[in-house]
Every structure is written in C-alpha cells, then in structure tokens.
Amino acid sequence: MGLKRRSFIITAITAATSAVLPQLALAAKKNEANKRVVVIGGGFAGATAAKYISMWSANTEVVMIERNAQFVSCPQSNLVLAGNRTLQQLTSDYRNLANIHGVKTVQAEVVDVNTQQQSVTLNDGTKISYDRLVLAPGLDFIYEQFPQLKNQQKVPHAWKAGPQTDLLHRQMMAMKQGGTIIMTVPAAPFKCPPGPYERACQIAFFLKHHNPTAKLIILDANADVISKKALFKAAWKQHYEGLIEYIPNSSIENVDIDNLTIETEFGQYKADVMNVIPTQKAGKVAEMAGVVNVDKRWCKVDFLSYESTAQSNIHVIGDAIHAKLPKSGHMANAQAKVCAAAISALFAGQKPEQEPVFNNTCYSFVTDKEAIHVAAVYRYNAEKKQMIAMPGSGVSDKSSVLEGRYADAWANNIWADTLK
Ligand SMILES: Cc1cc2nc3c(=O)[nH]c(=O)nc-3n(C[C@H](O)[C@H](O)[C@H](O)COP(=O)(O)OP(=O)(O)OC[C@H]3O[C@@H](n4cnc5c(N)ncnc54)[C@H](O)[C@@H]3O)c2cc1C
C-alpha cells in the first residue's frame, strides 16, 4: 500500500470521526511511519496491544478503534452489585494511550473487515487500511436459543460492566423483602470462570445486609462450581448459610422474561429479580474477518504470535481465542504483550520469541473485604503448539482481608499497565 493512499485515509478518518483525540505531538511520528497496525477493541487485550505495539515497533502507526468512549472494568464489577464499589471507580478514559503512547484512538464501531484489501470499515463509512490487524473484540452473547433475552431491560446479564451492572444493582435494591433472585451460569467456556461464583457471594452479601429473608438460587449449567470450588463453597457456608441455593446441571430449557420464570430439567423457578448470563462466542467482528474456526465460536491462533490460523496478517487476542487458558483480563493483557512483541519482531524481519511464558492471577471477593485467588504459570509447548499450565499452580488456603488488599493492588496495576 502506498503512502499516498495511507495519508488520504488518515485525513478521511480525522475529518469523518469526531471522536479522534487530538494528536499534535504525534505529527512527527505519523510522518515517519511506514506501517500501520489497526487494533479493534479497547478492552484489556486491545488497549494493552495498542500501547505496547506503539512502544516497541519503530515507524509504526497504531490506530485503536473502540466503540465505547470509556473503558469500564469487568474485574470488580460484581462488587458494584452489592454496593461495595461504584461504576465510576472502574471507569477510565483512553487519553493516556494517545497522549503518552502515541496511539491514535478512534471511537467507532467496525462494521466490516476486507481481508483482500487489508482494510476495515467504520460505522460512518470511513475505511482504514492496515499492514497488520489485531482483533481484540472480547465476546458476544449467543441468543439463538432464547431471542427474548436480546435487547431488553427486564433480565440483565450484567456480564459487560456498564449500564447493565447498574440496572441489576437497582433491581436488587428495589426487590421486596423475602424475595428471590435467580442467577444462571452458562456451560463453560465463558468470560471469567470464577466470575459467576464471585457474583453469588456479592449478591448474598447484599441480601445478608439488606434483605436477610430473601434468597439467591444459582442455576448452573455445569456439573459443579468450575473455579476455586472448595473456597467458594466454604465462603457460602461461612458467610451466607441459608441465603444461597446452588443447583448444578441446570441448563435453561425455557425462560419467560415477562413472568420472570425459568424452566430447567428439574423444575420451574419463579424470581423477583433474574440475572441470566447467556452463552458466549468471539465478538462478531471476528466472524467478519473470517477468523472464527472452532465450534463456530472461537478463533484458533498460533500462540507464538497470536496470528490467526485462518487469515494471515490478522492477530486475535483476549477472550475471543480458543485456548486452554482462562478467559480473564490478566490473560488478555499478557497475550497482548506476546502479540505486540511478535508484531514488532515480524516488522523487523525477525522470528517471534519461540518460548513465551506468562502467568494468570485471578482474585475474587467473597465479602466486601475478603478475597481468594487462583494463580498459574503457562509455558509454550512446541510439540503441542499450546500454552500449557506448569506444575505448582494453585489457589489460596482460605479467604482473607490481606488477599482483598492484594486484589485491589492487582486491579490498580493491571488498569495502569493496560491504559497508562
Ligand atoms: C463480572 C466479571 C468479573 C471479572 N473479573 C475478572 C477478574 O477479577 N480478573 C480478571 O483477570 N478478569 C476478570 N474478568 C474477565 C475479563 O473482564 C475479560 O476476560 C477481559 O475483559 C477480556 O478482555 P478482552 O480485551 O478480550 O475483551 P473486552 O475487555 O470485553 O474488550 C473488548 C472490547 O472490544 C470492543 N469491540 C468489540 N467489537 C467491536 C467493534 N466491532 N468495533 C469497535 N469496538 C469493538 C468492545 O466494546 C470492548 O470494549 C471478569 C469478567 C466479568 C464479566
């Protein structure tokens, strides 16, 4: 692609997209750039990739396209439900990526990817070409079985932190004394394996303090709690005895959002407040790019570069990939850095690092102050072409206030590493 065409496209972006942040300090860098990486998504994966590609790749312009004006963290969003955090505490803007790291941040929705022309189209019609594309779109929900759950305000999923989190919190506050909250857990894999069980703790914490005759029913499509099982079950017993009824193997067979009832194989359940977490798949833009190649849901990648196995010059990171790795913010951030280093190496005509190693840590709050964690180290296995968990991975002995402080420190660090 010629530089002439590139400058035309950049002029078009600036003219057409009002949300492009001013990039005065970047003028010099832009003129020197002879390569462009477009990153779709400004979550943990995309924002980290944009920052590190910009830091590590010479003569490279990085354009990050995100539909939302602000970053809202899913980690700690369960605490908003119980009133132990506010959404404001979990919200940041993208200013530092632009001002400190020279990323061109564009607020827009990508509506098409043309792999032949190596370009993406925004919702206002602007086309942006790329040398390499990084897809970090997170997840979308699968609504085929229960279309009534789509685009409605009665039964929030609250699985993307934001207005839905606030809605569920307000519904809990307004619920009558002695009422019933039902939450459902989809069959794995889904975003944040311990997330639903942390949510159960936070909902039960709220009930204990504001509505102690009420109860929470958890309808879990899985055979048991799928993460930190012993720790969650101990917390439910220690702190929330009598408040939580946990029913495993409970896939939804029908859901009536007008009457707030759910049917499973075991019976019909009536709620006063209902939180259905739908099954999930890679964000829709991955389908547009033709990189969804596992179970019509996930994207297979080469773990040395995160390049798609279906399309060259397209990398996929974060929740959207198919991997033996948890779908967590910590993982998304780590994968983004491996991907950024690989892109920088490839641009320099070198091979990516052949033995990447990274870790995952995931904290869950079981009360307002006490937390538990799971941690693991993953190393690339050349024979299996997979990231494999190393021996020694483990979980906390018990919940504690100290781990709660570590959880806050973890969150502050990862937000800073992703966005600052
Ligand atoms: C309740 C809850 C609690 C959690 N707690 C933790 C925790 O304690 N620790 C942890 O590590 N992880 C946690 N997670 C998981 C973590 O939030 C995800 O794994 C992480 O957000 C994945 O990052 P991502 O960048 O892949 O996706 P996301 O963070 O979802 O970002 C994707 C971004 O892409 C944008 N996008 C998608 N399509 C387009 C498009 N076409 N055009 C423009 N923009 C687009 C979206 O708007 C979004 O901002 C939790 C999740 C939930 C739901």
Side-chain angles (χ1 to χ4, degrees), residues 39-48 64-79 81 94 106-113 121-123 135-141 157-161 165 190-196 198-199 228 277 280 283-286 288 317-321 326-333 335-336 360-365 407 410-411 414 418:
V39 179
I40 303 178
F44 282 96
T48 308
M64 187 189 88
I65 304 161
E66 165 58 54
R67 62 160 79 93
N68 297 321
Q70 291 177 307
F71 172 98
V72 187
S73 173
C74 281
Q76 299 217 351
S77 66
N78 282 328
L79 281 80
L81 301 176
Y94 291 107
V106 179
Q107 189 193 346
E109 167 112 16
V110 174
V111 294
D112 191 34
V113 178
T121 307
L122 309 187
N123 51 336
L135 292 179
L139 299 177
D140 274 336
F141 299 118
H157 53 73
W159 212 241
K160 294 188 179 186
T165 317
F190 53 81
K191 163 152 88 165
C192 195
E198 176 187 58
R199 172 165 294 179
K228 306 178 207 168
I277 304 171
Q280 295 153 34
K284 195 171 165 205
V285 74
M288 297 173 197
I317 49 176
D319 284 351
I321 68 166
K327 296 188 183 301
S328 74
H330 194 115
M331 280 284 84
N333 170 279
Q335 292 164 16
N360 181 55
T361 311
C362 184
Y363 288 97
S364 306
F365 276 89
W410 172 87
I414 201 138
T418 302

